[in-house]
Amino acid sequence: MKKVVVIGNGMVGYKFCEKLRKIASPEHVSITVFGEEPRLAYDRVHLSEYFSDKNADKLTLAPLEWYRENQIKLHSGKLIAHLDRTAKTVETHDHQVFEYDQLIMATGSSPFVPPIPGTDKKGVFVYRTIEDLDAIISYGSKVKSAAVLGGGLLGLEAAKAMLDLGLKTHVVEFASRLMPRQLDEAASKALQTSIESLGIQIHLNKSTREIAGNGKLDGLYFADNTQLDVDMLVISAGIRPRDELAHLSDLEVGPRGGIVTNEFMQTSDPDIYAIGEAALYQNMIYGLVAPGYDMAEVAAQHILGREEKTFMGSDMSTKLKLIGVDVASFGDPFCENQAHYPIVFEHKSKGIYKRINLSPDGKLLLGGILVGDAEAYNMLLQTMQNGLSLPPDPEDLILGARGGEGSVGQGVENLPEQAQICSCEGITKGAICQSITEGNLNSVQEVKSCTKAGTGCGGCMPMVTDLFHHTLKSMGKRVKKTLCEHFDYSRQELFDLVKINAIKSYDELLDKYGKGDGCEICKPAVASILASIWNELITEQDTIQDTNDRFLANIQKGGTYSVVPRVPGGEITPDKLIVIGQVAKKYDLYTKITGGQRIDLFGAHLHQLPDIWEELIEAGFESGHAYGKSLRTVKSCVGSSWCRYGLHDSVSFALEIENRYKGLRSPHKLKSAVSGCIRECAEAQSKDFGIIATEKGWNLFVCGNGGAKPQHAQLLASDLDNESCIRYIDRFLMFYIKTAEPLTRTSTWLNKLEGGMEYLKDVVVNDCLGIGAQLEEDMKRTLNVYKCEWKEVVNNPELRAKFTHFINSDEPDESIRFERRREQKVPAEWGK
């Protein structure tokens, strides 16, 4: 029997065991694993999720039973202190000796701690293990501010964790931009702007000279003689391969660290292999999990004498969500050393930056960068990796199909069978499709379990889902769109389950019809469903809400919030205008009249929100729901009351419409308008539902929107009286709320609706499904229980107490800064 010993029980070490055991039975190969940490192997890629619920078990890759079932001997908490290559033995720190035939060094890496005086002070941490996170959480509960040293991937992950701990957070980066290995200057700036808008301060071009403090950290001194006062420091300045045992054993090691390997992952000793972050292949250390898994596969195969598979380097493309911002980089993002021409799209106000690099003849995609919107990442990566042909207008790859001309580029159905979909597990399109057809798989979760695709970083799951749907369609099966892996139901099915079973909470729904602990997809989606059906206070289930819903306000650049009282139909009395002015002056709020005909007040601190709203509510205002996926505004022209062209009283009808649907929760935001004549001063045809006066009544238009992809609304019904118009709006809105996918505007919903506008007319106007009365009843029930969310908070001390900047202090965030512009305050630009 061949004896294989593995040093290291991290993600790559575990993956090696899994792959080796898959092709070698316990009768032929014994596997013994040594791990320094006392824990089972766990998922470091999603380590930051530990801050959410502090449950280490959720990160565990496999339970102890898995090792037993696969007859793998696991020694946790054991450090290998000595390697005898001649005797082919390893010795633990407590002097136990074990023999091997082949040795796998999956020792991983350790955090790089720069040689800065003071790193041994109390309050200085690294970000690597669960124990590190426990220490950070414990210390963070006693302080108010933290800095993260390092603006790379892990550094920004750490910054998000500090923010979640309620700490005033700084990121200190030595380079001139964030993520310098993945992003160019403009992309970095877009990411920086988005991150700073959340209140995190970014300090670039900063060389830390000394960590200040008398035994305990109290600040950082920089080489440019500036300083930053903070209570805590998390160092995330890179990694260093754990190669100390290789050094001691005279294995070849690179000049800057890393155990040198060949294409079979063999070290300078052919019976010793190195994989993962400890391995140095062609002067390259791979810090991502996907190359590590690939190395594990190569080593497992080679140990059994198979040389078909080799490691030839790995693509460093990556996509992730950093502090709520999508960031992706693929192929050659900079093309500094090859001829190319770039195509760049930038939308600064939305924090979106996209760049793709094309070959000089425009036929091939070489690489690119995405910030703020990375939806196209998977397809762009496949296009590049497989050399797929580009559309006639390559800019469509990042701008999408414009003008309703259909899809651009290649769909998953056109990818070659050998296209690698899951780079972490090396799973191809062919393998996924084959598993679905031959295994008769009926859910994405089954595909995931069967193939392992998506079990690493999870970035390929959108494409795995598309392949699943495409394959089922090709088999003539019904395609069912499930909400996420925690619910094997579509949003529409969950909507019905919640309604029929009178389910009132996320936990209750998860217990009865879901599995696992939920995710950032299903929690806000279920929150929306519950709100649409029951219209109860969303603050009572604040942990499943989006950030803006959680605090009933939109967070703004600089970390403050906006206050938006409802002004139905845009009509407001002088007395109410005076109150808004008085409140704005008292709290020094920036005021602006919006396109929705109301007044936004910006720059409120979190703790001020209940006090501000108390004064507004006393004056008769209600929440404007500017933060929610709900009705925002009903715009109106002055109509027949003042306009000589007006046919009907558009203001009164707009008031009736807005007061009727205020607080109505939906899959996406809703906007409306009422115009008093065909001149359309209220722009009703650009709204989700718009009303235009005619000689005989009102024309009702639906499914329009402005924004990045404007779409004109379409005529649903003509010459309606007030009662009929409202009845059709009731049906239309409730049908949309019941059937639309999460975060889908009415225009997109209509575009995907089979039968399109004609079918919608049949449902709403002709009642072809016979559900008109039920839709109206559902709307009535929902609207009858409306309450102003802010009024409930103002009058409830327990809810009111949630509006504080720091979880461990009632004090305001004093670091938020403003400057004056045109006699009003605006957020200060960083560095000024």
Side-chain angles (χ1 to χ4, degrees), residues 108-298:
S109 64
S110 59
F112 169 62
V113 178
I116 302 170
T119 54
D120 58 342
K121 285 185 169 58
K122 189 177 180 182
V124 180
F125 301 88
V126 294
Y127 194 88
R128 179 67 179 171
T129 66
I130 289 176
E131 282 68 28
D132 293 335
L133 268 56
D134 280 333
I136 289 171
I137 292 169
S138 174
Y139 199 84
S141 66
K142 306 167 190 169
V143 299
K144 294 182 178 179
S145 63
V148 176
L149 195 62
L153 293 173
L154 198 58
L156 296 179
E157 284 269 349
K160 171 67 164 54
M162 298 305 102
L163 194 67
D164 288 345
L165 287 176
L167 303 177
K168 180 61 186 175
T169 304
H170 303 260
V171 173
V172 178
E173 169 59 44
F174 178 79
S176 61
R177 64 180 192 264
L178 296 173
M179 297 179 64
R181 291 187 176 183
Q182 291 86 14
L183 304 182
D184 61 15
E185 190 72 33
S188 174
K189 187 64 181 174
L191 177 62
Q192 180 180 344
T193 301
S194 296
I195 291 175
E196 286 179 335
S197 71
L198 299 175
I200 296 177
Q201 291 192 31
I202 307 295
H203 308 260
L204 301 175
N205 292 307
K206 289 291 183 183
S207 175
T208 307
R209 175 167 51 86
E210 182 182 351
I211 296 170
N214 183 18
K216 184 178 73 172
L217 161 90
D218 59 23
L220 303 176
Y221 292 145
F222 301 119
D224 60 3
N225 293 322
T226 58
Q227 71 179 69
L228 176 66
D229 295 332
V230 289
D231 304 319
M232 179 177 172
L233 175 67
V234 177
I235 297 176
S236 180
I239 59 170
R240 288 290 181 270
R242 291 284 307 275
D243 56 11
E244 57 269 25
L245 188 61
H247 270 290
L248 293 172
S249 309
D250 293 329
L251 292 172
E252 183 180 357
V253 175
R256 299 180 62 184
I259 308 168
V260 176
T261 73
N262 62 14
E263 69 272 27
F264 299 112
M265 308 319 300
Q266 288 173 297
T267 66
S268 52
D269 183 329
D271 287 326
I272 299 178
Y273 297 73
I275 57 177
E277 294 172 343
L280 180 69
Y281 176 73
Q282 293 191 345
N283 297 315
M284 182 79 177
I285 297 287
Y286 291 88
L288 299 177
V289 69
Y293 283 6
D294 199 16
M295 295 176 188
E297 173 76 23
V298 170

Side-chain angles (χ1 to χ4, degrees), residues 248-364:
L248 293 172
S249 309
D250 293 329
L251 292 172
E252 183 180 357
V253 175
R256 299 180 62 184
I259 308 168
V260 176
T261 73
N262 62 14
E263 69 272 27
F264 299 112
M265 308 319 300
Q266 288 173 297
T267 66
S268 52
D269 183 329
D271 287 326
I272 299 178
Y273 297 73
I275 57 177
E277 294 172 343
L280 180 69
Y281 176 73
Q282 293 191 345
N283 297 315
M284 182 79 177
I285 297 287
Y286 291 88
L288 299 177
V289 69
Y293 283 6
D294 199 16
M295 295 176 188
E297 173 76 23
V298 170
Q301 295 277 350
H302 195 258
I303 283 174
L304 297 184
R306 304 173 185 177
E307 296 190 348
E308 294 82 3
K309 188 170 178 58
T310 57
F311 183 78
M312 303 302 290
S314 182
D315 183 69
M316 295 296 281
S317 300
T318 185
K319 174 195 169 191
L320 64 165
K321 189 179 281 290
L322 289 171
I323 317 182
V325 182
D326 282 332
V327 178
S329 170
F330 63 96
D332 189 341
F334 308 122
C335 283
E336 292 174 329
N337 300 312
Q338 64 175 321
H340 73 287
Y341 76 85
I343 296 177
V344 175
F345 169 78
E346 188 170 14
H347 195 316
K348 289 187 177 180
S349 65
K350 290 189 174 181
I352 295 174
Y353 175 86
K354 300 180 182 182
R355 166 182 170 171
I356 52 175
N357 302 317
L358 308 183
S359 59
D361 60 6
K363 293 182 177 178
L364 295 175

Side-chain angles (χ1 to χ4, degrees), residues 567-571 595-597 633-639 649-655 658 672-676 681-683 687 691:
V567 181
E571 183 183 78
Q597 297 183 336
T633 61
V634 180
K635 191 176 178 180
S636 72
C637 65
V638 293
D649 183 359
S650 53
V651 176
S652 293
F653 201 33
L655 278 161
E658 182 155 353
S672 180
V674 181
S675 283
C681 292
E683 301 167 323
K687 307 301 182 186
I691 304 163

Side-chain angles (χ1 to χ4, degrees), residues 710-730:
Q711 182 167 315
H712 257 251
Q714 299 183 43
L715 183 63
L716 182 71
S718 305
D719 300 327
L720 301 169
D721 56 33
N722 288 22
E723 185 179 340
S724 299
C725 188
I726 289 175
R727 183 168 69 252
Y728 288 165
I729 295 173
D730 278 1

Side-chain angles (χ1 to χ4, degrees), residues 469-687:
H469 291 153
H470 166 70
T471 307
L472 284 192
K473 273 188 176 178
S474 68
M475 297 166 66
K477 290 189 174 182
R478 173 175 170 264
V479 176
K480 180 179 178 181
K481 290 187 176 180
T482 56
L483 188 63
C484 69
E485 65 185 76
H486 301 105
F487 288 100
D488 193 25
Y489 299 94
S490 67
R491 180 190 178 277
Q492 185 174 350
E493 290 171 330
L494 286 175
F495 188 98
D496 292 335
L497 287 171
V498 169
K499 182 182 172 187
I500 293 169
N501 296 288
I503 292 173
K504 297 293 186 74
S505 73
Y506 174 83
D507 289 341
E508 185 182 357
L509 183 67
L510 187 68
D511 288 343
K512 290 185 176 178
Y513 298 102
K515 55 194 171 190
D517 301 297
C519 64
E520 62 181 16
I521 295 175
C522 61
K523 288 180 179 177
V526 171
S528 173
I529 291 171
L530 292 168
S532 292
I533 296 175
W534 309 122
N535 210 4
E536 295 179 342
L537 276 184
I538 61 172
T539 46
E540 293 179 355
Q541 298 189 63
D542 56 350
T543 57
I544 60 172
Q545 308 291 341
D546 287 330
T547 302
N548 289 341
D549 274 324
R550 191 168 186 172
F551 295 116
L552 303 179
N554 287 331
I555 189 169
Q556 305 293 335
K557 180 179 180 180
T560 58
Y561 293 82
S562 62
V563 174
V564 188
R566 184 171 297 283
V567 181
E571 183 183 78
I572 188 167
T573 64
D575 285 342
K576 282 193 169 181
L577 275 175
I578 289 170
V579 170
I580 286 181
Q582 289 172 334
V583 168
K585 289 188 71 173
K586 179 177 179 180
Y587 294 95
D588 190 21
L589 303 177
Y590 172 93
T591 57
K592 187 173 188 313
I593 298 172
T594 73
Q597 297 183 336
R598 56 186 177 183
I599 301 172
D600 286 8
L601 300 93
F602 295 90
H605 293 268
L606 185 61
H607 72 282
Q608 292 177 324
L609 291 175
D611 295 337
I612 292 171
W613 274 105
E614 186 170 14
E615 295 186 30
L616 291 171
I617 286 168
E618 190 175 346
F621 286 104
E622 292 181 300
S623 170
H625 291 91
Y627 45 83
K629 302 294 183 289
S630 58
L631 180 73
R632 298 286 177 84
T633 61
V634 180
K635 191 176 178 180
S636 72
C637 65
V638 293
S640 58
S641 300
W642 292 93
C643 178
R644 56 198 174 95
Y645 299 109
L647 297 173
H648 303 306
D649 183 359
S650 53
V651 176
S652 293
F653 201 33
L655 278 161
E656 183 179 354
I657 295 293
E658 182 155 353
N659 282 322
R660 179 175 180 81
Y661 299 111
K662 63 187 177 186
L664 177 67
R665 294 281 175 166
S666 50
H668 212 299
K669 62 185 176 185
L670 294 169
K671 293 185 178 181
S672 180
V674 181
S675 283
C677 75
I678 199 164
R679 288 171 179 78
E680 252 282 69
C681 292
E683 301 167 323
Q685 291 178 83
S686 65
K687 307 301 182 186

